[in-house]
Amino acid sequence: MNKTLKFNTLTIHARQKPEETSGAVMPPIFQTSTYAQEAPGVNKGHEYARVTNPTRTALEDLLAGLEDATDCAAFASGLAAMDALLKMLRPGDEVISTNDLYGGSYRLFTQVFEPYGIKFHFINLSDTAELMAHINDNTKMVWIETPTNPLLSIIDIRSITDITRRRDIISVVDNTFASPYLQQPLKLGADVVIHSTTKYLGGHSDIIGGAICTSHRDVIDNMRFQTKASGAIPGPMDCYLTLRGIKTLAVRMQRSCENARDIAHFLRNHPDVAKVFYPGFEDHPGHEIAQQQMRDFGGMVSFSLKNDDVETAKKFMSNTSVFTLAESLGGVESLISHPVSMTHGSIPVEVRRKSGLQDSLIRLSVGIEDIDDLKTDLDNAFKAI
Ligand SMILES: *Cc1c(COP(=O)(O)O)cnc(C)c1O
């Protein structure tokens, strides 16, 4: 595909072509487990659907195009993608990551991979001196998440990849929160981008999926080997739905960002709110970096209440009706969640407090509904607490 096409065109056309036998504009859902062979080993490029499926390939091609990668491997979930990537490590290897990490990643690191002899450090990745202090001969990966979840801190991708590239360290960016619409980490020097396609890419809260995008041959070969050897693949129907979702990524993200900006300001002016976390504010510590590495400031807004306790937060959340109380994010519908009792429940209290995660913290995934309805909904919830 023409390299000069703009991102909003690529979301629809990147590395896509009509299906060969019928000319179908959208790839069919190839609901098959196996493929007929003319003679043993003589086939049309597909043998068994754990290894390849044309619907999955169409999704992988589109995602690779959006992240400016040579290749992409799709997985059954974001965590399955991370699991595959972490299996490239060996006992004794070390990973440096952020202390404000997605709870599921933290659980995978500490409860699945640590027992196999892999060591994880959770540090403040905004501080390159702290990063340097943790790098040693065993460091194999630096795992970045930006904006972070749920505190929406910004990590300077370029400053970290400048350090890792001069050493034999793989830099990984979990780009789930930003989506490639807002940020393309490979262009900022990262080696690997990981996605939970469940979120903004799928965009409709109807699938679970994951992906790894990279231009490193050894990494993509290893990922393809693992999909074949371990089999954490997404089914063709889910691949199709993800493809369909991605086609509208640009318009959804644009509206989501606009609504989030409006809501962040609304919350900041509300007397019951203690603090609003939103990288679009000029006084947000990561604002300048966000301006450099992101196209806009995203659809996520977190805030804490003046009454900083779990009960007040719960009361607030049970009184919204357009915002649905649910885990996850990135769909067309606005969601509200309480990290401490929901997504971040598996992080120990001491660790949580250390990273500044307050008891009353509420996280919003701002959808694409009418902004007036969203604000009225929040206003009503404030009146109820
Ligand atoms: C949801 C999420 C994941 C995990 O993805 P699943 O598709 O739920 O397995 C990983 N990272 C981030 C930042 C997420 O929000």
Side-chain angles (χ1 to χ4, degrees):
M1 170 78 35
N2 184 346
K3 278 247 168 193
T4 62
L5 291 177
K6 299 276 205 305
F7 186 86
N8 296 3
T9 309
L10 291 176
T11 57
I12 298 158
H13 296 291
R15 304 181 201 182
Q16 302 295 295
K17 51 183 187 315
E19 197 269 330
E20 274 166 22
T21 58
S22 64
V25 167
M26 273 301 279
I29 301 160
F30 283 91
Q31 197 74 49
T32 188
S33 62
T34 191
Y35 307 88
Q37 310 201 10
E38 281 158 43
V42 182
N43 55 60
K44 295 192 160 86
H46 301 282
E47 287 165 1
Y48 187 64
R50 180 173 2 87
V51 185
T52 54
N53 178 295
T55 319
R56 195 166 98 222
T57 304
L59 171 63
E60 292 173 338
D61 288 346
L62 185 59
L63 281 170
L66 296 189
E67 286 291 3
D68 206 31
T70 57
D71 289 274
C72 166
F75 288 87
S77 69
L79 281 169
M82 296 178 177
D83 179 78
L85 192 64
L86 290 165
K87 282 183 187 156
M88 289 186 74
L89 301 173
R90 294 292 172 261
D93 288 350
E94 298 187 14
V95 179
I96 301 172
S97 187
T98 155
N99 51 20
D100 183 17
L101 187 70
Y102 170 67
S105 310
Y106 184 83
R107 182 176 51 216
L108 180 69
F109 291 1
T110 56
Q111 295 187 44
V112 177
F113 283 92
E114 227 165 58
Y116 284 103
I118 292 159
K119 196 167 167 188
F120 295 89
H121 304 272
F122 301 97
I123 68 163
N124 175 10
L125 272 183
S126 310
D127 182 351
T128 45
E130 201 176 334
L131 171 63
M132 294 300 288
H134 282 82
I135 290 178
N136 62 40
D137 290 346
N138 297 325
T139 310
K140 291 285 148 53
M141 252 181 212
V142 171
W143 192 288
I144 304 164
E145 208 182 285
T146 180
T148 63
N149 175 28
L151 293 174
L152 303 168
S153 306
I154 300 294
I155 292 169
D156 185 345
I157 298 175
R158 176 73 77 187
S159 78
I160 292 174
T161 59
D162 280 347
I163 292 169
T164 55
R165 273 160 68 147
R166 282 184 270 116
R167 296 163 178 82
D168 204 11
I169 301 171
I170 299 176
S171 55
V172 181
V173 178
D174 181 339
N175 205 25
T176 302
F177 258 49
S179 90
Y181 171 85
L182 293 176
Q183 157 180 299
Q184 292 167 303
L186 299 190
K187 288 187 176 164
L188 300 165
D191 297 308
V192 177
V193 164
I194 199 147
H195 274 292
S196 165
T197 55
T198 312
K199 315 292 170 54
Y200 285 108
L201 288 164
H204 295 75
S205 307
D206 53 4
I207 58 103
I208 297 281
I212 291 200
C213 301
T214 182
S215 297
H216 286 287
R217 196 71 258 156
D218 55 332
V219 177
I220 196 65
D221 286 348
N222 193 297
M223 293 305 101
R224 299 229 184 281
F225 170 75
Q226 287 201 49
T227 49
K228 177 177 171 171
S230 302
I233 53 155
M237 180 73 185
D238 284 358
C239 290
Y240 170 83
L241 286 169
T242 311
L243 266 168
R244 172 185 245 250
I246 293 172
K247 305 263 165 171
T248 57
L249 177 70
V251 284
R252 285 188 287 106
M253 287 305 294
Q254 190 183 347
R255 172 64 74 84
S256 221
C257 290
E258 278 169 15
N259 282 353
R261 187 176 356 266
D262 223 338
I263 283 178
H265 285 96
F266 165 80
L267 289 170
R268 188 176 229 192
N269 293 326
H270 200 282
D272 293 338
V273 172
K275 185 166 182 199
V276 182
F277 300 81
Y278 174 66
F281 288 144
E282 275 175 29
D283 57 2
H284 182 287
H287 181 70
E288 257 176 59
I289 296 160
Q291 257 181 330
Q292 287 160 22
Q293 70 186 20
M294 297 170 76
R295 168 162 158 182
D296 202 337
F297 302 104
M300 304 298 297
V301 180
S302 297
F303 63 103
S304 58
L305 300 173
K306 287 229 171 99
N307 234 347
D308 184 33
D309 62 65
V310 170
E311 288 320 307
T312 314
K314 284 190 173 166
K315 202 163 172 200
F316 182 91
M317 288 180 291
S318 59
N319 279 292
T320 59
S321 59
V322 182
F323 279 89
T324 304
L325 177 61
E327 288 189 7
S328 199
L329 60 118
V332 290
E333 57 287 286
S334 292
L335 302 181
I336 185 166
S337 74
H338 186 229
V340 166
S341 56
M342 296 165 77
T343 42
H344 290 59
S346 59
I347 298 180
V349 183
E350 331 67 88
V351 179
R352 201 181 76 205
R353 294 253 161 86
K354 211 176 126 200
S355 62
L357 228 166
Q358 286 168 272
D359 286 351
S360 72
L361 193 83
I362 293 171
R363 190 190 79 179
L364 304 177
S365 169
V366 182
I368 66 170
E369 299 97 334
D370 190 285
I371 185 64
D372 292 339
D373 291 334
L374 294 178
K375 283 199 273 197
T376 305
D377 198 42
L378 294 175
D379 215 22
N380 290 339
F382 278 119
K383 284 178 188 138
I385 60 174

